[in-house]
Amino acid sequence: MSVYEDWVGRSQTATDVLDPARSNALDVALGGAGALTAGDALPLLDHWLHFWDVKPPAALGTDGHPAKGGFLPPVPLPRRMWAGGRLTFLQPLHLGETVTRTSTITAVTEKVGKSGTLVFVTVRHELDAGGGIAVSEEQDLVYRDPAPGVLPLPVAVPVPDAAWAETVAPDPVLLFRYSALTMNGHRIHYDRPYAMGEEGYPALVVHGPLQAALLIRLAGKALGRPVTGFDFRGQQPAFDGIPLHVCGNVTDQGGEFWTQQGEAKNMIATVRTT
């Protein structure tokens, strides 16, 4: 039995109002017009801009995240990140609505691989604005050993061959803005000395959720049909200062999308429109 078995099944709820200002701020940060108003449909994945879990300084870990323990298990491994997730969009949410999010830990799995010890925590979130579940989501969080050394910085590559492609410049301002809008205090996204000296990265790290947001925005424009499902998984970190290509190809069910900086893909996603 896992030492974290007691955390499986733990649940908590949070309530928030879907603020148009947050979606508009992200839209403008990504080059949009920011013209959303109350009553408009919430852009997909913009629920991540809500349900802030703000902790006082004494309740933060050295990495800027809330200290371990509480709802999530107190995994002692020093590096933690959001590895991927799966979402089903059952009905639209609207800006201005009051939404309740119910979160439940569904699994805690320990593995030992080439990179050391890994602990995966899966959390299910269900969002309801009063008319039944609107968004069902599973998040995979991973805790891991320290990096054995500084990771290499990828070499910029031309735009990959894809049906759709956009290129984003993930500079420190964009990373700071996304951290602020999601109340994400993880220092790898804005504190370069910490990211490089403590966690072994060669630069600031582009948020996984930010990459997912870029992918689903491209999918919405490219496919021309409502997105009903979105599964994504991080393959390797992306860093500031290097062009980030956001790409996609059509499939029978929707599309396959990915981000890419070097020769390998950073994040891959399956988009369903059926």
Side-chain angles (χ1 to χ4, degrees):
M1 178 181 292
S2 167
V3 67
Y4 307 114
E5 193 70 23
D6 288 346
W7 266 263
V8 176
R10 291 195 178 196
S11 183
Q12 67 178 15
T13 60
T15 300
D16 204 352
V17 177
L18 302 181
D19 183 0
R22 298 188 193 180
S23 286
N24 283 329
L26 178 58
D27 189 45
V28 170
L30 296 177
L36 295 166
T37 62
D40 289 340
L42 178 77
L44 298 182
L45 303 186
D46 273 19
H47 63 279
W48 291 343
L49 309 180
H50 298 81
F51 307 102
W52 290 351
D53 183 20
V54 183
K55 300 294 187 185
L60 295 177
T62 57
D63 59 2
H65 273 309
K68 297 172 183 177
F71 175 62
L72 293 172
V75 179
L77 300 172
R79 299 174 70 198
R80 44 181 164 169
M81 62 195 68
W82 189 347
R86 296 156 296 283
L87 297 100
T88 301
F89 304 103
L90 301 169
Q91 53 184 307
L93 294 169
H94 295 89
L95 294 166
E97 288 184 321
T98 299
V99 177
T100 297
R101 184 186 69 182
T102 302
S103 305
T104 305
I105 297 175
T106 60
V108 182
T109 306
E110 299 175 71
K111 297 181 179 179
V112 178
K114 294 180 179 179
S115 60
T117 302
L118 302 171
V119 175
F120 293 90
V121 179
T122 302
V123 183
R124 183 178 67 243
H125 300 291
E126 295 177 332
L127 279 68
D128 187 342
I133 297 174
V135 178
S136 178
E137 172 180 10
E138 284 188 332
Q139 292 180 359
D140 297 324
L141 311 177
V142 61
Y143 300 75
R144 61 194 314 162
D145 284 323
V150 177
L151 295 171
L153 198 63
V155 177
V157 296
V159 178
D161 184 17
W164 310 292
E166 298 178 348
T167 300
V168 175
D171 60 23
V173 175
L174 176 58
L175 302 191
F176 169 79
R177 285 175 157 183
Y178 194 76
S179 289
L181 284 169
T182 55
M183 197 55 66
N184 181 350
H186 197 180
R187 293 166 63 184
I188 62 173
H189 304 302
Y190 60 87
D191 184 340
R192 194 177 303 274
Y194 173 85
M196 298 178 68
E198 296 296 327
E199 297 211 21
Y201 294 110
L204 296 176
V205 179
V206 181
H207 313 68
L210 174 56
Q211 294 183 63
L214 293 168
L215 290 170
I216 207 166
R217 282 169 175 257
L218 176 60
K221 291 185 293 184
L223 297 174
R225 300 187 299 275
V227 173
T228 57
F230 183 77
D231 302 347
F232 68 99
R233 184 174 75 252
Q235 301 278 83
Q236 62 180 21
F239 302 105
D240 78 306
I242 301 173
L244 181 70
H245 305 304
V246 186
C247 311
N249 289 316
V250 69
T251 65
D252 291 342
Q253 288 74 39
E256 296 293 340
F257 289 79
W258 71 94
T259 57
Q260 186 169 340
Q261 281 188 326
E263 294 296 334
K265 297 175 180 178
N266 299 95
M267 176 174 284
I268 59 175
T270 300
V271 177
R272 299 184 299 280
T273 59
T274 57

